Protein backbone atom coordinates (compact mmCIF):
# COMPACT_ATOMS: atom_id res chain seq x y z
CA UNK A 1 0.00 0.00 0.00
CA UNK A 2 1.49 3.32 -1.04
CA UNK A 3 1.24 6.57 0.84
CA UNK A 4 1.76 7.47 4.45
CA UNK A 5 1.76 4.82 7.15
CA UNK A 6 -1.50 4.53 9.06
CA UNK A 7 -1.61 6.60 12.24
CA UNK A 8 -2.40 4.38 15.26
CA UNK A 9 -5.99 4.69 16.47
CA UNK A 10 -4.92 6.05 19.87
CA UNK A 11 -2.99 8.90 18.29
CA UNK A 12 -5.95 9.80 16.05
CA UNK A 13 -8.25 9.63 19.08
CA UNK A 14 -5.93 11.94 21.05
CA UNK A 15 -6.09 14.48 18.23
CA UNK A 16 -9.85 14.93 18.54
CA UNK A 17 -9.88 16.63 21.97
CA UNK A 18 -6.85 18.68 20.92
CA UNK A 19 -8.77 20.12 17.98
CA UNK A 20 -11.93 20.63 20.03
CA UNK A 21 -10.08 22.22 22.96
CA UNK A 22 -7.86 24.56 20.96
CA UNK A 23 -10.48 25.48 18.38
CA UNK A 24 -7.93 24.91 15.62
CA UNK A 25 -9.41 23.94 12.26
CA UNK A 26 -9.42 20.22 11.49
CA UNK A 27 -6.91 20.75 8.67
CA UNK A 28 -4.23 22.30 10.89
CA UNK A 29 -3.21 20.25 13.94
CA UNK A 30 0.60 20.30 14.24
CA UNK A 31 2.10 17.17 12.69
CA UNK A 32 4.85 17.08 15.32
CA UNK A 33 2.26 16.21 17.99
CA UNK A 34 1.74 12.86 16.26
CA UNK A 35 -2.02 12.98 15.75
CA UNK A 36 -1.73 12.52 12.02
CA UNK A 37 -3.59 14.88 9.78
CA UNK A 38 -6.70 16.63 10.97
CA UNK A 39 -8.56 14.70 8.29
CA UNK A 40 -7.43 11.47 9.94
CA UNK A 41 -8.73 12.66 13.32
CA UNK A 42 -12.00 13.66 11.70
CA UNK A 43 -12.53 10.50 9.60
CA UNK A 44 -11.41 7.83 12.06
CA UNK A 45 -14.49 8.07 14.34
CA UNK A 46 -16.74 7.68 11.29
CA UNK A 47 -14.89 4.49 10.38
CA UNK A 48 -15.20 3.23 13.98
CA UNK A 49 -18.93 3.98 13.95
CA UNK A 50 -19.43 2.05 10.72
CA UNK A 51 -17.44 -0.86 12.17
CA UNK A 52 -19.80 -1.02 15.17
CA UNK A 53 -17.24 0.20 17.71
CA UNK A 54 -19.63 2.70 19.31
CA UNK A 55 -22.19 0.03 20.10
CA UNK A 56 -19.52 -2.35 21.42
CA UNK A 57 -18.15 0.37 23.71
CA UNK A 58 -21.64 1.19 24.92
CA UNK A 59 -22.28 -2.44 25.81
CA UNK A 60 -18.92 -2.73 27.61
CA UNK A 61 -19.75 0.39 29.61
CA UNK A 62 -23.19 -0.95 30.50
CA UNK A 63 -21.65 -4.26 31.60
CA UNK A 64 -19.05 -2.55 33.80
CA UNK A 65 -21.59 -0.19 35.37
CA UNK A 66 -23.97 -3.04 36.09
CA UNK A 67 -21.25 -5.17 37.67
CA UNK A 68 -20.23 -2.21 39.86
CA UNK A 69 -23.91 -1.67 40.73
CA UNK A 70 -23.59 1.89 39.42
CA UNK A 71 -26.41 1.73 36.88
CA UNK A 72 -30.03 2.54 37.49
CA UNK A 73 -32.67 1.31 35.04
CA UNK A 74 -33.48 4.93 34.16
CA UNK A 75 -29.84 5.62 33.23
CA UNK A 76 -29.77 3.25 30.26
CA UNK A 77 -31.19 5.61 27.61
CA UNK A 78 -28.66 8.27 28.63
CA UNK A 79 -25.83 5.91 27.66
CA UNK A 80 -26.76 5.75 24.02
CA UNK A 81 -29.76 5.32 21.85
CA UNK A 82 -31.62 3.14 24.32
CA UNK A 83 -32.14 0.64 21.55
CA UNK A 84 -30.17 -2.43 20.58
CA UNK A 85 -30.92 -4.11 17.28
CA UNK A 86 -34.25 -2.31 17.05
CA UNK A 87 -35.39 -3.28 20.54
CA UNK A 88 -35.82 -1.13 23.61
CA UNK A 89 -33.18 -1.91 26.24
CA UNK A 90 -35.92 -2.67 28.76
CA UNK A 91 -36.92 -5.63 26.57
CA UNK A 92 -33.48 -7.23 26.75
CA UNK A 93 -32.69 -10.02 29.16
CA UNK A 94 -29.98 -9.23 31.69
CA UNK A 95 -27.68 -11.76 30.01
CA UNK A 96 -27.79 -9.72 26.80
CA UNK A 97 -26.50 -6.60 28.56
CA UNK A 98 -24.33 -8.00 31.35
Amino acid sequence: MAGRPRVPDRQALDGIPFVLHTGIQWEYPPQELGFGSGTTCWRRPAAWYEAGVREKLRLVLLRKLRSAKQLQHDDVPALGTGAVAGRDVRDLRASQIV
Side-chain angles (χ1 to χ4, degrees):
M1 180 171 165
R4 297 181 199 158
R6 180 178 169 87
V7 172
D9 287 339
R10 180 60 195 212
Q11 287 174 241
L13 180 62
D14 287 345
I16 295 168
F18 176 81
V19 169
L20 296 175
H21 178 73
T22 63
I24 195 169
Q25 293 180 358
W26 284 105
E27 297 86 16
Y28 301 118
Q31 293 293 307
E32 57 270 10
L33 294 179
F35 303 138
S37 71
T39 303
T40 296
C41 297
W42 181 74
R43 286 183 183 161
R44 196 69 58 91
W48 294 332
Y49 183 81
E50 291 207 10
V53 172
R54 178 181 173 265
E55 182 63 18
K56 290 174 189 173
L57 286 174
R58 191 179 73 79
L59 292 174
V60 167
L61 178 59
L62 282 171
R63 194 174 309 119
K64 287 183 181 266
L65 289 171
R66 285 199 189 254
S67 68
K69 307 234 185 278
Q70 297 293 314
L71 183 68
Q72 300 293 323
H73 180 72
D74 294 339
D75 293 335
V76 174
L79 293 174
T81 63
V84 176
R87 295 174 291 167
D88 191 293
V89 172
R90 290 170 290 203
D91 296 336
L92 297 174
R93 293 188 306 273
S95 63
Q96 291 173 296
I97 295 175
V98 177

